[in-house]
């Protein structure tokens, strides 16, 4: 039997989260190994954040240009879809991970290719493609950073239809003539926006009452209005009862009201499931396929050595939030390895992922963009806070009018009336994604309203919406 190879930290999953856990451990003076069964760089680099935003950037730029006098006439034609797809391919490095592998090598992190599985406490086996098994042991910590996969509904015959998930939607080499999108969340709205603009006729089927239901209600309403204006059809309050692939190659979807839809492809954007079903959780007393509960240092409940960082802990399924957790976990692992007491009593300290609860930012790259940080009004009220929602029409900001003719958007801030700080902010409108970090800073920093009054926005920028929100609050 081959002797186990020992490292201070072993990381399962070489996506952005796993890479950052390993990097932070290395920066703290620990040795680290990382295990990956697919491409180094993970879902975000090849099938999610990067390709989707590469597809959406030309769409949003064209939409903005069409709202600018003197420019709109020059951009009335269709997008060059092959050029957009080629640009997307460049941003995924043509689905090759040489660059990211080189980065790992440059900072001294060992990479093991294959399926990594826990094999009891602090032990990981790696099964390579050729069947070779390598055993790694971790002196201090194993971090599960395996992310999530698309979750498909239990429809009979769905596998035979070969539906699109987020992976196929972001990596397709052509625009289908007709595309059905099932779902109303971020993936559904972004991919509906992209493929409608790239030449597909899109129909969106939403089980709930509207789009983006985890954000403020007006976000989904404004995005739905824009999608309809672009030519997409949106049906709410409906579910897919069955699907089949016809002999002609088209997809036939039967809706729960008995009607049918036909399309060239169907995308199911109906949620995510943890990639924890085949990583040996049963060897350490945990349930395969489950989400992993963690404390604020990202250590798995009732464990002294196992961490779950990123999507697998179900705290905030966002790449940037997973990377934030990785920085916290790396600091906590290092501190524990060195016998340094954790700053567990410090709510915003180096070893607590407090932002997961109170200051999560998100941008939905639709047209218009929807961006939020912190809590919605409903979430704040459900948490028992005494709050006031302050709304403002972003079209009334001078910078918005200069940015685009007919600017349509809305802003809301949620004020904690007892502490006079912000608990949440939502912006919807063109280019608001670049505004949201200011909201994140205000929320994470618990900046008092009286101090925000002295943060003067430059004129004439869209950021003046901050002044208008504060004026509306003060009356």
């Amino acid at each position: 039997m081959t002797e186990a190879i020992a490292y201070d930290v072993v990381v399962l999953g070489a996506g952005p989260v796993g890479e950052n856990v390993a990097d932070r451990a290395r920066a703290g003076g620990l040795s680290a190994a990382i295990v990956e069964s697919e491409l180094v760089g993970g879902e975000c680099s090849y099938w999610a954040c990067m390709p989707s935003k590469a597809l959406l950037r030309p769409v949003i730029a064209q939409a903005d240009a069409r709202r600018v006098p003197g420019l709109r006439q020059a951009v009335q034609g269709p997008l060059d879809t092959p050029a957009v797809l080629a640009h997307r391919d460049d941003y995924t490095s043509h689905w090759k991970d040489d660059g990211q592998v080189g980065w790992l090598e440059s900072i001294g992190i060992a990479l093991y290719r294959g399926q990594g599985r826990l094999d009891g406490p602090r032990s990981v086996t790696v099964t390579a493609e050729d069947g070779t098994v390598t055993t790694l042991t971790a002196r201090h910590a194993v971090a599960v950073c395996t992310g999530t996969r698309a979750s498909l509904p239990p429809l009979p015959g769905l596998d035979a239809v070969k539906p699109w998930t987020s992976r196929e939607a972001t990596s397709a080499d052509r625009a289908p003539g007709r595309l059905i999108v099932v779902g109303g969340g971020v993936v559904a709205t972004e991919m509906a926006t992209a493929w409608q603009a790239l030449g597909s006729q899109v129909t969106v089927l939403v089980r709930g009452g509207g789009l983006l239901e985890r954000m403020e209600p007006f976000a989904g309403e404004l995005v739905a209005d824009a999608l309809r204006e672009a030519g997409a059809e949106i049906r709410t309050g409906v579910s897919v009862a069955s699907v089949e692939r016809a002999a002609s190659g088209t997809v036939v979807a039967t809706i729960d009201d008995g009607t049918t839809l036909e399309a060239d492809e169907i995308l199911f954007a109906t949620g995510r499931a943890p990639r924890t079903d085949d990583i040996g959780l049963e060897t350490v007393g945990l349930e395969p396929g489950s989400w992993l509960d963690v404390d604020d240092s990202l250590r798995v409940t009732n464990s002294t050595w196992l961490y779950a960082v990123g999507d697998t802990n179900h705290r905030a399924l966002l790449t940037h939030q997973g990377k934030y957790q990785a920085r916290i976990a790396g600091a906590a692992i290092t501190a524990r390895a060195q016998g340094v007491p954790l700053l567990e009593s410090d709510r915003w300290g180096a070893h607590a992922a407090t932002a997961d609860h109170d200051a999560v930012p998100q941008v939905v790259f639709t047209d218009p963009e929807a961006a939020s940080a912190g809590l919605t009004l409903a979430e704040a009220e459900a948490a028992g806070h005494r709050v006031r929602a302050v709304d403002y029409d972003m079209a009334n900001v001078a910078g918005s009018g200069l940015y685009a003719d007919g600017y349509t958007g809305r802003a809301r801030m949620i004020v904690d009336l007892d502490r006079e700080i912000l608990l949440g902010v939502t912006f919807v409108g063109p280019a608001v994604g670049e505004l949201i970090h200011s909201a994140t800073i205000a929320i994470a920093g618990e900046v008092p309203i009286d101090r925000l009054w002295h943060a003067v926005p430059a004129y004439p920028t869209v950021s003046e919406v901050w002044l208008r929100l504060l004026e509306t609050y003060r009356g």
Side-chain angles (χ1 to χ4, degrees):
M1 184 175 179
T2 306
E3 186 177 348
I5 305 170
Y7 295 90
D8 292 323
V9 180
V10 176
V11 180
L12 296 182
V17 176
E19 288 177 324
N20 275 272
V21 171
D23 182 43
R24 289 297 84 205
R26 177 206 57 83
L30 305 181
S31 62
I34 196 163
V35 182
E36 177 55 55
S37 61
E38 293 189 293
L39 296 175
V40 175
E43 199 81 10
C44 176
S45 298
Y46 306 103
W47 301 287
C49 315
M50 298 309 290
S52 66
K53 277 53 186 182
L55 290 174
L56 285 159
R57 178 60 195 142
V59 175
I60 294 170
Q62 183 187 54
D64 284 348
R66 286 177 172 174
R67 301 183 183 109
V68 178
L71 181 57
R72 63 170 59 98
Q73 293 79 10
V75 291
Q76 287 305 313
L79 289 167
D80 183 343
T81 299
V84 173
L85 298 181
H87 176 66
R88 182 272 319 272
D89 293 351
D90 288 341
Y91 264 83
T92 60
S93 301
H94 299 266
W95 291 275
K96 296 179 181 178
D97 62 3
D98 299 7
Q100 303 224 36
V101 170
W103 176 76
L104 286 178
E105 293 173 347
S106 73
I107 61 173
I109 295 173
L111 171 64
Y112 291 84
R113 298 271 196 183
Q115 178 62 45
R117 296 180 181 88
L118 293 165
D119 187 25
R122 293 186 173 85
S123 180
V124 172
T125 62
V126 184
T127 305
E129 276 192 10
D130 63 4
T132 303
V133 177
T134 303
T135 300
L136 310 176
T137 58
R139 298 185 187 95
H140 298 293
V142 174
V144 176
C145 308
T146 48
T148 57
R149 61 166 59 88
S151 178
L152 293 172
L155 292 175
L158 185 59
D159 288 346
V161 172
K162 295 183 178 178
W164 278 13
T165 66
S166 53
R167 283 198 169 195
E168 289 77 20
T170 56
S171 62
D173 60 4
R174 59 179 179 80
R178 297 162 298 174
L179 174 64
I180 297 171
V181 177
V182 183
V186 176
V187 172
T189 53
E190 288 189 346
M191 290 298 94
T193 299
W195 289 111
Q196 179 69 36
L198 291 169
S200 301
Q201 177 56 53
V202 173
T203 301
V204 183
L205 305 178
V206 188
R207 184 169 57 184
L211 304 180
L212 301 176
E213 290 194 320
R214 294 185 179 181
M215 301 183 84
E216 298 286 8
F218 61 82
E221 292 165 5
L222 290 173
V223 170
D225 289 345
L227 277 170
R228 290 190 178 104
E229 185 178 346
E233 181 183 359
I234 301 174
R235 300 188 190 182
T236 58
V238 298
S239 297
V240 177
S242 65
V243 291
E244 61 179 346
R245 180 80 67 172
S248 62
T250 61
V251 175
V252 179
T254 302
I255 313 306
D256 54 6
D257 61 8
T259 61
T260 60
L261 283 174
E262 190 172 355
D264 299 283
E265 300 292 349
I266 185 167
L267 162 62
F268 280 89
T270 49
R272 308 290 296 178
R275 294 171 61 99
T276 60
D277 52 311
D278 188 23
I279 62 167
L281 289 183
E282 67 280 2
T283 71
V284 293
L286 297 171
E287 183 182 350
S290 64
W291 302 101
L292 299 176
D293 293 328
V294 297
D295 62 19
D296 273 355
S297 73
L298 292 312
R299 189 167 60 176
V300 172
T301 304
N302 298 323
S303 176
T304 60
W305 58 272
L306 185 62
Y307 292 72
V309 192
D311 286 5
T312 55
N313 60 42
H314 208 232
R315 287 163 66 105
L317 276 63
L318 296 158
T319 295
H320 50 269
Q321 214 64 27
K323 292 166 71 173
Y324 159 73
Q325 292 177 15
R327 296 190 292 272
I328 300 295
I333 291 167
T334 300
R336 288 180 171 128
Q338 296 172 346
V340 176
L342 265 63
L343 303 175
E344 295 180 278
S345 62
D346 186 347
R347 182 165 161 265
W348 290 101
H351 307 129
T354 306
D356 285 348
H357 310 299
D358 297 338
V360 174
Q362 181 173 22
V363 179
V364 185
F365 291 84
T366 45
D367 174 40
E369 291 178 352
S372 65
L375 305 180
T376 63
L377 174 60
E379 289 169 341
E381 290 177 336
H385 298 290
R386 193 171 69 91
V387 295
R388 175 184 164 192
V390 181
D391 292 339
Y392 194 78
D393 185 343
M394 293 188 66
N396 294 331
V397 177
S400 299
L402 288 169
Y403 187 89
D405 271 6
Y407 191 106
T408 300
R410 186 172 170 185
R412 168 175 286 180
M413 69 179 188
I414 308 300
V415 181
D416 182 325
L417 296 174
D418 295 318
R419 293 190 291 164
E420 286 277 301
I421 61 172
L422 301 186
L423 297 180
V425 177
T426 299
F427 299 120
V428 182
V432 297
E434 297 301 332
L435 285 179
I436 203 61
H437 192 55
S438 55
T440 306
I441 292 170
I443 295 165
E446 298 181 341
V447 182
I449 291 286
D450 285 348
R451 179 61 62 87
L452 281 177
W453 188 253
H454 295 281
V456 183
Y459 180 86
T461 66
V462 183
S463 291
E464 270 204 309
V465 68
W466 278 108
L467 174 58
R468 304 306 170 213
L469 285 167
L470 292 169
E471 288 175 335
T472 303
Y473 176 68
R474 286 193 162 191

